[in-house]
Amino acid sequence: MDVYDGQSLNQRFGIDGHIAFAQRGGLLVAEMRGAGAVATVALQGGQVLEFQPSGEEPVLFLSSRSHFEIGKAPRGGIPICWPWFGPHPSDPSLPQHGFARIMPWSVVETRVLEGGRAMLRLALHDDETTRQAWPYAFSLEYTVTVGPELEVELLHRNTDQATVTITNTLHTYLSVGAVERCVIHGLDGCDYLDKVDAFARKTQHGPVTISGETDRIYLGTTTPCVVEDPVIGRSISVWKEGSRSTVVWNPWIEKAQAMEDFDPLGYLRMVCVESANAADDAMTVAPGAEHRLRVRLSLQHG
Ligand code: TA6
């Protein structure tokens, strides 16, 4: 099926009142509604762009200057960084954060689950384009479940004959009232690589706060993070499974201004808390084996 034919997708996978396919700029998106929450997912990259439970402010940051065009990941939501996180280890001509977030994913299933949650399942398999960048066979499935919580799961099956080494992240951009007022719990005592200080290895003492460019890979951590947001008056819990690293990123002023798709003051209203396997936590996946990376976003008040 042509992954960019909205009409045939609606005929085959649309579910009245729950899932419809529409054009957003140059991208085809799934508009989802489940148990009172709404979400938007771009078929390019399987990128969740928006998630908003009823009565809540948007949970994900999406830059107002995002491009919705083929070949470029919109700035925000949850880009899927796979099969490598960051620059390619040896070939600078290859895309940063791997190719999964800029490839066309195909729809394989849509369903309404118990309680009225909406589910969308997408797939991506190796082809000559991916094999030029990464010479291995693979099968990826990405499942997005929308309800009062957002759950995403990236399932990688190694269909190659070789063991592969993967770094990855679900690069979650959270929307906050004022980043400098937020407190991020869950990383106390963790070692991290500080990308703002030549990847120096440091130890986190207490919660994480943001008062400048912050780009840290926390290592060997499997615990959930909680972003306390006193301005909006809520906390966002980032639960994860299948991830041993957590990346915390805010570009702050200069870096944000250097990104033309980052609205000028957007950095004040976002923080990335990314569920990853990066650096020392790179993973190997044997032939025939599979790896699941799951993230669940939920909100708490008071
Ligand atoms: O996850 C943090 C990070 O690796 C930063 O260093 C910055 O590069 C960010 O990802 C965004 O990367 P992108 O390629 O989406 O602009």
Side-chain angles (χ1 to χ4, degrees):
M1 165 183 292
D2 171 1
V3 295
Y4 288 91
D5 173 0
Q7 189 176 0
S8 56
L9 279 170
N10 275 315
Q11 285 163 357
R12 185 166 171 200
F13 293 108
I15 302 177
D16 279 353
H18 290 283
I19 297 180
F21 296 89
Q23 206 65 31
R24 178 104 171 242
L27 300 183
L28 195 62
V29 298
E31 293 173 342
M32 301 177 70
R33 181 179 294 275
V38 293
T40 312
V41 184
L43 298 196
Q44 174 185 265
Q47 187 170 344
V48 179
L49 299 175
E50 296 161 315
F51 168 58
Q52 185 170 8
S54 64
E56 289 288 350
E57 298 281 320
V59 177
L60 299 175
F61 170 82
L62 184 63
S63 167
S64 60
R65 293 191 176 179
S66 288
H67 300 287
F68 298 100
E69 61 193 44
I70 304 289
K72 170 91 177 153
R75 175 67 60 191
I78 309 178
I80 299 173
C81 302
W82 191 94
W84 63 84
F85 169 68
H88 185 274
S90 59
D91 183 348
S93 71
L94 293 173
Q96 157 131 300
H97 292 331
F99 49 72
R101 67 173 178 168
I102 52 177
M103 291 295 288
W105 291 58
S106 53
V107 179
V108 292
E109 185 183 5
T110 53
R111 198 157 15 117
V112 179
L113 306 176
E114 80 285 346
R117 293 178 301 149
M119 184 277 283
L120 166 71
R121 182 163 292 129
L122 304 173
L124 180 71
H125 300 100
D126 60 286
D127 63 14
E128 65 278 1
T129 304
T130 67
R131 287 191 293 269
Q132 276 174 3
W134 193 67
Y136 302 102
F138 66 86
S139 166
L140 288 181
E141 276 192 2
Y142 192 58
T143 305
V144 180
T145 306
V146 175
E149 301 175 340
L150 174 72
E151 182 159 332
V152 293
E153 178 184 88
L154 178 68
L155 169 61
H156 166 216
R157 292 190 182 90
N158 181 0
T159 54
D160 201 275
Q161 302 302 312
T163 293
V164 293
T165 298
I166 304 279
T167 55
N168 57 15
T169 185
L170 294 179
H171 196 296
T172 305
Y173 286 73
L174 297 176
S175 176
V176 297
V179 70
E180 70 278 17
R181 303 259 321 264
C182 288
V183 179
I184 303 169
H185 303 275
L187 297 166
D188 183 19
C190 292
D191 285 354
Y192 66 91
L193 302 178
D194 187 348
K195 289 171 71 172
V196 175
D197 184 12
F199 283 90
R201 186 180 286 264
K202 302 176 181 176
T203 302
Q204 181 63 40
H205 298 291
V208 179
T209 55
I210 308 285
S211 56
E213 183 185 355
T214 306
D215 197 346
R216 302 175 184 176
I217 303 172
Y218 288 87
L219 299 166
T221 170
T222 57
T223 54
C225 285
V226 176
V227 179
E228 196 183 326
D229 178 346
V231 172
I232 292 183
R234 70 184 181 191
S235 291
I236 303 175
S237 171
V238 184
W239 174 89
K240 64 176 189 173
E241 190 177 71
S243 156
R244 290 189 49 75
S245 319
T246 293
V247 178
V248 176
W249 178 58
N250 182 288
W252 211 247
I253 305 171
E254 286 77 24
K255 282 286 173 63
Q257 287 175 345
M259 288 181 263
E260 49 81 30
D261 60 355
F262 222 119
D263 44 284
L265 296 178
Y267 73 94
L268 288 169
R269 295 181 287 106
M270 57 72 66
V271 62
C272 282
V273 177
E274 308 165 32
S275 308
N277 293 284
D280 309 17
D281 296 323
M283 307 181 304
T284 57
V285 184
E290 56 183 50
H291 176 264
R292 292 176 192 272
L293 173 52
R294 295 175 65 205
V295 169
R296 187 184 306 130
L297 302 182
S298 55
L299 302 178
Q300 295 80 34
H301 290 272

